[in-house]
Amino acid sequence: MDSQVIATHPEEHAEHEHSPYLRHHFANLEQQRETSTFGMWLFLLTEIMFFGGLFCAYLIYRNWYYPAFVAGSHQLSIALGATNTAVLICSSFTMAMAVYSSEMRWRKALVGWLLATIVLGGVFLGIKAVEYREKWEKRHVPGLNFSAAGFTHQDPNYPEDKPLAPDMAEKTQVYFSLYFAMTGMHALHMIIGVSILIILVIRAWGGAYTQGHMTTVENFGLYWHFVDIVWIFLFPLLYLISRHQ
Amino acid sequence: MSEETHAQEILDTEPTHHEEHIVGPRVYGIIFGLLMLFTAITVGASYIDMYAFNAVVALAIACIKAVLVILFFMHVKYSSRLTKLTVAAGFFTFVVLITMTMTDYISRAWGLW
Amino acid sequence: MSTIVMLPDQQTASLPKRSYLNEEYGLKSWLLTGDHKRIAILYLISITIFFFIGGFFAGMIRLELLTPPSDLMAADTYNKMFTMHGIIMVFLFLVPSVPATIGNFLIPIMVGAKDLAFPKINLLSWYLYVLGGILVLAALTLGGVDTGWTFTTPLSTHYLNTHVITAGLAIFVAGFSSIFTGLNFIVTIHRMRAPGMTWFRLPLFVWSHYAASVLMVLGTPVLAITLVLVILERVIGIGVFDPAKGGDPLLFQHLFWFYSHPAVYIMILPGFGVISEVISTFSRKRVFGYTAVAFSSVAIAVFGFFVWAHHMFIMGVSNYSALVFSLLTMLVAVPSAIKIFNWSFTLYKGSITFETPMLYAFGFIGLFTIGGLTGVFLGSMGMDIHLTETYFIVAHFHFVMVGGMLMAFLAGIHFWWPKMTGRMYPEGISKLAALTTFIGFNLTFFPQFILGYLGMPRRYAAYPPEFQVLNVLSTAGATVLGVGYVLPLLYLAWSLKYGKIAGSNPWQATGLEWQIQSPPLTTNFVETPVVDYEAYDYEWLANKTKHEVQTVG
Ligand SMILES: [Cu+2]
């Protein structure tokens, strides 16, 4: 049996021993950093399964009620959806640059990139709110003011779409239920993310993450990118069903 | 015994720290450009009639984009094997959820018509 | 085969001057603590409270079933009784029972760390647990829930006026408590091991907690999102599970059991860990087939995700799919059987002594085997169609959960009580309690196998008079069982002040936790331990002891 030393290398990192960031139960900063990053990844693992349940439901109902999903999807604005996708990708880029600035210990750049991320996150949520409002006005909110009436006759924007039979038109409600559940859960994650970002900016301005301790910014970056990935899947699944019809 | 020690080696050589690898703006810029490009492609592709393949193409592009984000923005390409394994475990369980549920849904009507 | 270890006389042991218990004083020092040992004690107190609340409901159920008509309480009150019993026992007792108390206390010590990786998150998960508990009590005092612990849709979303939302939120919150506990354990086991503590030197307790943690982290979020959808459906009426709107109620079952079958392993795997430690210690032998036992925990965690639809055979799932799930269910019995066989082989030619934890462990092996084997009956489709939703299934999962897990919990509490408190429990009365529990348990639940086989359905307040004899037996057994559970509460509390002083290693066990003082220091170890021996190496302990005696004498 090998008795390789795995967990700690105290002698190599003696210079870190008195770092103000080192919590008492870790041997050194290296171990502390690795540990919190691994913890963050495990948290994202739970997030995968959290959204996984929704994606599973989506897959089943899309196969069951495909015409209703097509008709429902055609009611979403592809321009707003694509813009929001671009906005989120931009925000992921600015977040990645924020992590880079933190690693390079550029305080003002870090604050700048974090602020840019907040603004882009805000823009995303704003556009989402506009879309939700439009859904409300079109009476597409399941449970609250839903009406399938719009789907039983011809939509002038999609002249090739056949009007749905009344029972299939009712099933657009399932599509919109999933639409609101999925984008709503995603938006909730965005709101949480923006709130944390505001705290990060304030602390970054004080220089908290540019003196060699950037784990918090890195881990938040992982969260932010994860939320971006969820949207990367939501966009084609919800907005782009059979646009050619 | 040899198999056992092999397993032990794999588990016990799990690295505690990886090389600190700072990904620079150039890589981020390239990935950003690719993500934007793929977004445009996926919108365009949805307007082309490819029958059943529309969904496949849309999902394939989404997967490529997700992999780019995971590998570069989230630094998994430069991370320890443990991180890679964690990501893989997440997707594996997700696939189990989907496939095992689908065994019910695809075969529910078999033999009933 | 086995090695007898002679330790210096424990009679001369004295309580250490400084320990985690007297490091700080006052309520605040407990409620804001980051120390995993103190959080474990907080958990121990809170799960004990909920255990006895849940036990009260069990008592009311058995009292109602003493006579055939529903005379003690109205049928809907009875529905609320078994629902609250299920919710409290599953989510507020069984899921956190061993991991959040014994696991929380021991895992950092067993891997040689000063604390869990994230002490604040550990405290947060206790607060989330308490919040979940308060929400359950709120649902209870507002008028209760009567969906059954499974929240079956559309019953829960459309047809009931009870406090489903409050209870759903409670489970959502308590779920995150268990996610964070699991996350903390995984990170700690990967990243905080002491020098020399390789994976294959870890006690099996750690392996089984690792496997359970993986299930907590991967399974619980699916339950969380399912409950969110149920709540949304109830509050604003979205249509994901509602058949009237095109939803599929069976999808709810799929998502719910995707968590709730692995949840069975979340509950039982930590118990396996306790049993491995106890059996090895009181046989003075290394656990037979250490690697097989370790990997069987991991195998259970993996296979556990492939079998959930065996809870749905009569619900209208596809026959072909049911066949696949039925076959996979047979497979998942294999790793559990491996464990049972290995424990039995560990006993073979060991120097067995019959201390209280060992008695509970024997109870566990016998009762879990019955519970597990009847699970195989229920996993095979033909039998399941006859037996599901009868008392057979009630007896089956109580054999696993109460006969198995609760026995393991009590074994663990008695085994590590000297480590946690520094004092011994009284041996004589605790043996009596173990025996009472075993007799009471069998008297309560064995008749239910017969009742179920004869066709008595579960979840009804009334039953035909011909079932009364067996029901009276069961209620009588429940009374004995209740005594068996109150006894430890009393004598363990008594022992806090009057128990014999334990000394650091009263059982002559090999784990790292037994090489430090009891109760331990706040930082667990005076200096980071360097591990140079295998788990359960009694030769090592004997040599170490000899060495110590020589240097002391
Ligand atoms: Cu099961």
Side-chain angles (χ1 to χ4, degrees), chain C residues 541-552:
Chain C
L541 186 67
N543 289 330
K544 177 183 180 245
T545 313
K546 215 182 294 165
H547 182 67
E548 260 174 21
V549 171
Q550 279 164 1
T551 49
V552 170

Side-chain angles (χ1 to χ4, degrees), chain C residues 261 264 310-311:
Chain C
H261 179 79
V264 173
H310 61 217
H311 297 268

